[in-house]
Amino acid sequence: MNIDDRIERRLGYDTGAGVFVDFDAVSPVFHLEAPIGRGPALERLLDAFSPAFSGALPPSTYVHGPKGSGKSAVVSALFSRLTTHSGPPQAIQTSTRAVEPTLPGFVYVDARRASTRFRLYHDTLAAVGDETVPDHGIGTDDLAESLRNAIRTGPDVVVAIDHTNEPETPSAATVVEWLTDVSGHIVPVCLGREPPEEIEWEPDESVAFSRYRRHVLVELLTSRCSTGLGRDALSHDQVREIGEWASGDAHDALAAIAGAAIRAERAGVSTIRPEDVDAGIDEVPKPCVTLGRILSLSESRRRLLYELVTLPESDRSSVSAATETIASRRRVDLSASTVRRVLYELADAGLLDRVTVRRSDGKGRPPSRLVPRFPTLVYRELFDRSART
């Protein structure tokens, strides 16, 4: 937030604006241009990439750490800034003469949306090339050749591939193989949760992210709330309560805050109440699937999950009841059998839990119901906002 924003808030220009001033600022799927509280990790990344500032290729690097520790936020912001310094040679003065090293290009790719060889090449080429890359009518080999030519005639490229080794994404070893098949002048930087010894790839360097310390997470939450929520909408004690509950996970903390704010705004109040905080926390399951992973699903699967989480409790009592109700809705153009199959696939992927419904009469096999493993209140808000736009 800039100084003018802070002055205006003190003058009360945001009075009466409701709980939310900027939903994105407290959304767990939104990353700031300047991440908070991750200075040491940023310095370790810059140390790893330091050869690039002298015109050489940096080492391959694996960035790892638990969910909500800031890996994506820091790496995406860093690569965005490094991109502005890439391209034409930059003069650097030495004691004897001026040299002009060429910095490599820096490309950030999300494996959740680039989970195939075709899409990885496509998104990388779109970032390094000057021309629009078609989505259809071109083969994977053609994309590989175009990418190879772009690197041959331009600077080397450092490609960060986020969210590797997830159930729906390729492994770090796989994406590295795909990139090295194109050119030896591509340096992979993979991001994942597993420690280096648990993946089938040996990078030259590794940078570890740990969970946020409590005071650092509270600082992050306070900063984002000061931008995203109305003045005095959430007290510092409430921020601390959520920060302590989240145990260093920024995603879960922001999801709880956003959920509490949504509940308060729907109640027509301008201040988040204790019961709103409790509800916001209760809406975040443990363990929790990130909303970014949910939003990377196909449109049809996002729709089915939305229909599931908006069902009344009575229609979610069993898989059969949920399936029939969802299939009968006008917005869903799928048969009941297809809805059931997809819901089971989402459960197999770990996005839903199948919970057995207890019966007292003991007759027949007890049915099961589907319980989301992601923050449903915030997901509904994100889905509704995207539908409006």
Side-chain angles (χ1 to χ4, degrees):
M1 174 183 288
N2 62 35
I3 294 176
D4 288 336
D5 290 334
R6 293 184 181 273
I7 293 173
E8 288 181 5
R9 293 172 69 81
R10 293 291 179 175
L11 289 172
Y13 289 177
D14 61 344
T15 302
V19 178
F20 285 112
V21 174
D22 180 2
F23 179 79
D24 283 345
V26 292
S27 169
V29 299
F30 179 79
H31 298 314
L32 300 178
E33 292 184 2
I36 298 167
R38 278 299 184 238
L42 178 59
E43 288 297 327
R44 291 195 296 272
L45 286 170
L46 288 172
D47 287 342
F49 300 148
S50 59
F53 307 132
S54 302
L57 277 176
S60 61
T61 305
Y62 181 54
V63 182
H64 61 97
K67 174 180 73 70
S69 59
K71 304 183 300 297
S72 299
V74 172
V75 173
S76 61
L78 175 59
F79 272 53
S80 177
R81 298 304 303 159
L82 288 172
T83 298
T84 65
H85 296 279
S86 304
Q90 301 184 8
I92 298 179
Q93 298 293 328
T94 68
S95 58
T96 57
R97 61 187 178 88
V99 295
E100 295 187 344
T102 299
L103 270 67
F106 288 86
V107 176
Y108 172 87
V109 176
D110 190 341
R112 289 172 176 166
R113 294 174 173 80
S115 59
T116 64
R117 185 190 291 260
F118 176 91
R119 183 51 58 178
L120 178 62
Y121 291 168
H122 178 282
D123 291 0
T124 304
L125 181 60
V128 302
D130 296 326
E131 299 179 357
T132 302
V133 184
D135 290 323
H136 308 286
I138 186 172
T140 302
D141 291 341
D142 295 327
L143 281 175
E145 186 60 28
S146 297
L147 180 57
R148 190 174 295 113
N149 291 335
I151 295 173
R152 184 184 301 120
T153 58
D156 299 328
V157 179
V158 181
V159 181
I161 310 98
D162 201 354
H163 303 119
T164 60
N165 301 307
E166 292 186 350
E168 299 89 5
T169 67
S171 67
T174 297
V175 296
V176 169
E177 179 183 353
W178 290 348
L179 291 174
T180 54
D181 281 348
V182 171
S183 172
H185 294 275
I186 299 178
V187 177
V189 176
C190 295
L191 284 71
R193 295 180 190 172
E194 294 85 354
E197 61 270 16
E198 294 184 12
I199 65 172
E200 297 179 352
W201 176 51
E202 295 184 6
D204 298 322
E205 299 283 347
S206 64
V207 175
F209 277 61
S210 58
R211 291 185 178 275
Y212 285 92
R213 293 185 177 181
R214 183 184 305 171
H215 71 280
V216 176
L217 181 57
V218 170
E219 178 189 0
L220 181 154
L221 299 176
T222 300
S223 176
R224 298 199 43 166
C225 287
S226 71
T227 304
L229 303 181
R231 183 154 48 90
D232 301 326
L234 190 69
S235 71
H236 184 65
D237 287 342
Q238 289 173 319
V239 173
R240 287 181 57 190
E241 177 187 351
I242 293 172
E244 291 178 2
W245 163 83
S247 301
D249 188 323
H251 172 275
D252 290 1
L254 288 168
I257 288 175
I262 291 168
R263 191 177 188 274
E265 186 157 273
R266 290 179 179 175
V269 298
S270 59
T271 302
I272 296 174
R273 304 159 298 181
E275 58 264 34
D276 299 323
V277 172
D278 292 341
I281 288 174
D282 290 342
E283 279 283 317
V284 183
K286 292 289 188 178
C288 179
V289 174
T290 63
L291 285 164
R293 187 176 160 197
I294 302 299
L295 295 178
S296 68
L297 297 171
S298 67
E299 182 179 355
S300 62
R301 295 195 169 206
R302 293 198 306 271
R303 165 59 70 180
L304 285 186
L305 287 176
Y306 177 80
E307 299 296 339
L308 176 67
V309 301
T310 55
L311 288 177
E313 195 65 31
S314 58
D315 288 332
R316 295 169 59 182
S317 59
S318 68
V319 176
S320 296
T323 296
E324 293 298 330
T325 305
I326 292 173
S328 67
R329 289 187 168 180
R330 180 176 54 83
R331 297 181 297 262
V332 177
D333 188 22
L334 297 172
S335 66
S337 60
T338 301
V339 170
R340 179 190 295 271
R341 175 179 58 79
V342 174
L343 289 176
Y344 279 145
E345 289 174 357
L346 293 170
D348 290 340
L351 307 183
L352 302 169
D353 273 336
R354 293 175 62 181
V355 179
T356 300
V357 179
R358 299 194 178 193
R359 278 184 174 176
S360 58
D361 57 14
K363 295 179 180 179
R365 182 178 179 181
S368 61
R369 61 188 179 91
L370 297 172
V371 178
R373 292 187 57 196
F374 54 90
T376 57
L377 190 58
V378 184
Y379 176 66
R380 288 172 60 179
E381 182 71 15
L382 289 167
F383 191 96
D384 288 336
R385 286 173 179 264
S386 65
R388 290 196 294 267
T389 56

